[in-house]
Amino acid sequence: NAGVMQNPRHLVRRRGQEARLRCSPMKGHSHVYWYRQLPEEGLKFMVYLQKENIIDESGMPKERFSAEFPKEGPSILRIQQVVRGDSAAYFCASSPFTAGGPNEQFFGPGTRLTVL
Amino acid sequence: AQKVTQAQTEISVVEKEDVTLDCVYETRDTTYYLFWYKQPPSGELVFLIRRNSFDEQNEISGRYSWNFQKSTSSFNFTITASQVVDSAVYFCALSERRGNTPLVFGKGTRLSVIA
């Protein structure tokens, strides 16, 4: 059973370009979370998705950032017109559905975005 | 609002010493979950433990132990007989109980174990 997969692992973009980060959850997991880790900081929640639905995007900047989790395929975090401040590690986590409380979230290896 | 504070930014110990990483949390929920994760230099996040707010029993797993004290809103993590491989950033996190919910992380404590 493969773990959470993220690609690319490293991504370099110039200011103004678009960044697309992909996350494939663990098999059987229908919930995906995106977190951002700025240098020397803890992880901060960005968005929580289920298949075809955004459940909570309270942590995502209103402009330039969007996320989706289509019925088929990986979850995508898209950053348009990147700026230097977007340089960070972006982690994806997945969990199965539970009615009894939060599950352990399984984290991917992260994508390290560098904006030149 | 939920908040996790890890007051120790960096700790440095000599191999074989014991070390305790502090974690203090704030939440208005009566039911919640607490987590510890390890982030080694390679960058991935490794799950260490999850506790729910009703279970105040301390837990031991090998050289790792956790002390959960609801009265002081703390969930401290102790490594006994530290080893160089323990060098990493350790994160404490909190999640309220409402089905699947995001985690609130502390800023992390960087532990360096010197041989």
Side-chain angles (χ1 to χ4, degrees):
Chain A
N1 187 9
V4 178
M5 298 174 67
Q6 289 188 249
N7 66 80
R9 294 290 305 275
H10 299 273
L11 182 61
V12 179
R13 285 286 177 267
R14 296 192 181 279
R15 279 179 297 168
Q17 292 184 319
E18 179 179 283
R20 277 189 180 227
L21 289 61
R22 292 175 186 77
C23 169
S24 296
M26 286 181 73
K27 191 175 179 181
H29 286 190
S30 55
H31 299 254
V32 164
Y33 311 78
W34 285 94
Y35 296 84
R36 177 165 67 175
Q37 184 181 26
L38 294 170
E40 306 301 319
E41 293 277 326
L43 280 74
K44 288 212 165 31
F45 165 71
M46 298 181 74
V47 60
Y48 162 36
L49 310 103
Q50 293 177 28
K51 287 279 187 184
E52 301 184 280
N53 281 310
I54 295 177
I55 306 302
D56 181 354
E57 56 182 348
S58 58
M60 199 147 74
K62 297 282 184 277
E63 316 228 331
R64 303 187 298 109
F65 285 72
S66 62
E68 62 177 9
F69 189 15
K71 191 175 178 182
E72 302 289 339
S75 175
I76 308 279
L77 178 68
R78 184 202 287 181
I79 312 172
Q80 296 177 301
Q81 300 174 335
V82 295
V83 301
R84 288 220 174 102
D86 297 332
S87 295
Y90 292 82
F91 288 92
C92 166
S94 76
S95 67
F97 172 75
T98 178
N103 276 291
E104 171 193 339
Q105 292 183 14
F106 294 81
F107 281 83
T111 293
R112 274 140 191 91
L113 172 65
T114 302
V115 179
L116 302 177
Chain B
Q2 298 179 321
K3 186 179 177 184
V4 176
T5 301
Q6 294 180 256
Q8 304 148 308
T9 308
E10 292 192 39
I11 300 177
S12 195
V13 299
V14 176
E15 207 172 17
K16 296 185 184 164
E17 285 185 352
D18 299 347
V19 59
T20 296
L21 310 182
D22 298 333
C23 173
V24 173
Y25 62 91
E26 295 175 31
T27 179
R28 291 181 185 167
D29 296 309
T30 55
T31 305
Y32 48 89
Y33 286 77
L34 295 162
F35 303 77
W36 276 94
Y37 286 86
K38 174 182 179 180
Q39 187 175 42
S42 51
E44 75 272 23
L45 277 169
V46 178
F47 168 81
L48 296 177
I49 189 171
R50 178 188 70 185
R51 300 307 298 273
N52 75 52
S53 52
F54 292 116
D55 184 1
E56 285 194 71
Q57 266 194 325
N58 290 334
E59 178 145 348
I60 298 174
S61 176
R63 294 184 298 106
Y64 295 169
S65 62
W66 290 270
N67 184 323
F68 176 29
Q69 301 223 338
K70 222 165 167 178
S71 58
T72 55
S73 297
S74 66
F75 187 43
N76 296 338
F77 172 31
T78 297
I79 302 174
T80 303
S82 59
Q83 299 176 1
V84 172
V85 293
D86 296 327
S87 297
V89 181
Y90 290 86
F91 292 100
C92 181
L94 167 70
S95 179
E96 63 189 4
R97 183 185 178 179
R98 278 195 290 110
N100 297 66
T101 56
L103 302 181
V104 175
F105 283 83
K107 291 192 172 182
T109 297
R110 181 178 298 278
L111 173 65
S112 298
V113 181
I114 303 161

